[in-house]
Amino acid sequence: MTVAAAAPPVLLDLSTSEAETRFARQLALVVSSVDVIPGPPGLLESSVAAQLELLRPVVGAADAAIWLDDRQPGRLVAAVAVVERQRGVVRLVEVSDGEGAEAALAMGVRELLASLYVDMAVVPPPTPAPAPAPLAVESGPVPPDASPPGPPADSRRLALSVQGAQPVRRGTRYGGELAATFAVGDHLWIGPSIGAERGADGWWIHPGILAEWRLLVVGSQLSLVEHPWGLQVRPGLKVGVQHALRPRLRARLMVVGLPRRDVVLQGGSTRYDSGWVEMAGALSWVWGPMR
């Protein structure tokens, strides 16, 4: 027997994130009626049992409370709670962040709502006792029935950058870089990169390896330099930090160490001197999951 909710389910407003806004819009399309109310402070950081206690003043018996947790990079998690006098049920729906993730999450929540009300339909009467009946808590991930179309996008991303480099000595350069990185651990992304720059009396090509961990960026590059006086090959090791200016726009500042110093003398004077260190900056647009 299926039991209908005594009142429409409520969606708890816990943040101002774009993911929560998109999820609320998709949920309104697949659930007949959803009320949006402010969520209780500290809900996301609490244990399941504590969450149920926080929800009791917010929702009535047999009502469902829904909220989104997008704190984990690359994942979206929706929680659905049904709270009754004697017990409560909390279930989770989790999807990979990417194109269509909020729509898939909303579909999973709709299916979960139906199953939860069936589970809560028959509640045994409380046994007389001097102490109140214990609170039974059920929790666990429930995979959604619907998935975003296309291949999974949570393990790879592309970044296109405009960049510039300034050696300590002289020779400013400007150009761009394309990097393809892959998730190999918790917040760790590694992959190849290729850059091209113009300046310092020639063309510069930079194949290399790039690694990102949260705000930290490290990498290596092998600069192929086409100068008027010939072709030079110069390795480099770089380390720096990056910052998200917008959800997919990042700024990066790097220090590049040059194990090999290039010096060109012409007519008894120095025509070019790379020095041992140079500074580099970049603005990058990222396709794929953000961390």
Side-chain angles (χ1 to χ4, degrees), residues 58-123:
V58 177
V59 299
D63 285 351
I66 306 165
W67 64 91
L68 179 70
D69 184 354
D70 60 352
R71 297 173 301 167
Q72 182 180 0
R75 312 296 295 178
L76 293 180
V77 180
V80 180
V82 177
V83 182
E84 288 192 341
R85 181 184 304 175
Q86 299 299 326
R87 64 171 182 159
V89 175
V90 177
R91 294 286 180 86
L92 306 179
V93 181
E94 182 176 342
V95 299
S96 300
D97 192 8
E99 188 71 24
E102 291 83 4
L105 201 59
M107 291 293 294
V109 168
R110 185 185 69 173
E111 298 300 323
L112 188 53
L113 282 171
S115 66
L116 279 177
Y117 282 123
V118 170
D119 292 342
M120 300 290 285
V122 180
V123 179

Side-chain angles (χ1 to χ4, degrees), residues 1-61:
M1 177 177 66
T2 300
V3 176
V10 293
L11 176 62
L12 303 181
D13 184 3
L14 299 177
S15 71
T16 59
S17 69
E18 295 183 3
E20 187 177 76
T21 301
R22 292 192 297 267
F23 173 63
R25 188 181 303 118
Q26 293 295 330
L27 190 63
L29 296 175
V30 299
V31 177
S32 58
S33 178
V34 179
D35 294 331
V36 180
I37 64 173
L43 183 68
L44 294 179
E45 295 77 16
S46 302
S47 64
V48 175
Q51 286 177 339
L52 292 173
E53 293 304 320
L54 289 172
L55 291 174
R56 289 189 182 279
V58 177
V59 299

Side-chain angles (χ1 to χ4, degrees), residues 139-164:
S139 64
V142 176
D145 294 334
S147 300
D154 60 340
S155 62
R156 63 185 182 277
R157 65 187 179 197
L158 293 175
L160 182 62
S161 308
V162 291
Q163 62 185 20

Side-chain angles (χ1 to χ4, degrees), residues 250-273:
R250 293 183 174 183
R252 180 181 300 168
L253 182 63
M254 308 283 288
V255 177
V256 184
L258 309 176
R260 172 182 171 181
R261 180 181 179 186
D262 289 335
V263 180
V264 177
L265 302 177
Q266 188 175 29
S269 62
T270 301
R271 173 72 180 273
Y272 174 75
D273 187 347

Side-chain angles (χ1 to χ4, degrees), residues 188-233:
L188 179 61
W189 298 74
I190 299 178
S193 64
I194 182 70
E197 296 172 339
R198 175 65 176 171
D201 296 320
W203 279 99
W204 300 64
I205 305 297
H206 305 289
I209 299 295
L210 190 67
E212 302 176 359
W213 186 77
R214 299 185 185 272
L215 300 181
L216 179 65
V217 183
V218 297
S220 63
Q221 64 185 34
L222 185 65
S223 299
L224 307 176
V225 188
E226 180 61 37
H227 286 299
W229 48 84
L231 179 67
Q232 292 181 321
V233 179

